[in-house]
Amino acid sequence: MKTKNTIRSNALGTASAGLALIAVPSFVLFAVFSLIVGGDALNGFSTEGRYFVSSHGNDTEVSWLTYTISWYLGSLTLVTFLPMVLLGAASQFLGAKDSD
């Protein structure tokens, strides 16, 4: 008979794997996009209708569309990656706790 921890561990593991289907590709896409355009909007800024992405203190002016894409990719990566890691860790913790 499965214990509650095993069931919870399996559910958290499944949720983590589901998030990984979004988090990992979005991270890779965000990293490649940032390399191509010279930075990311999360570290960048906009002023007087001009948009800048930033990387290691170097600011690069980009179009509004490029800035917006970079911002959404970065935000998606942040919003999905941390919960994926936390759910995976919780799943492992509950699974290890159950095997004791």
Side-chain angles (χ1 to χ4, degrees):
M1 180 170 143
K2 291 187 176 184
T3 67
K4 286 183 180 180
N5 281 344
T6 301
I7 294 168
R8 286 184 187 133
S9 175
N10 290 342
L12 291 173
T14 301
S16 178
L19 269 175
L21 294 174
I22 298 169
V24 173
S26 73
F27 172 75
V28 170
L29 191 58
F30 175 63
V32 170
F33 191 80
S34 296
L35 284 172
I36 292 170
V37 300
D40 63 85
L42 296 178
N43 291 313
F45 59 95
S46 65
T47 182
E48 299 175 3
R50 297 171 67 193
Y51 300 91
F52 297 87
V53 293
S54 186
S55 177
H56 302 287
N58 297 323
D59 301 328
T60 305
E61 188 169 2
V62 295
S63 69
W64 171 84
L65 181 61
T66 301
Y67 183 85
T68 303
I69 291 169
S70 176
W71 189 87
Y72 277 109
L73 282 173
S75 297
L76 179 64
T77 298
L78 290 175
V79 167
T80 58
F81 216 81
L82 182 60
M84 177 196 68
V85 171
L86 293 176
L87 287 171
S91 171
Q92 292 297 313
F93 174 75
L94 289 174
K97 188 175 179 183
D98 193 43
S99 66
D100 289 341

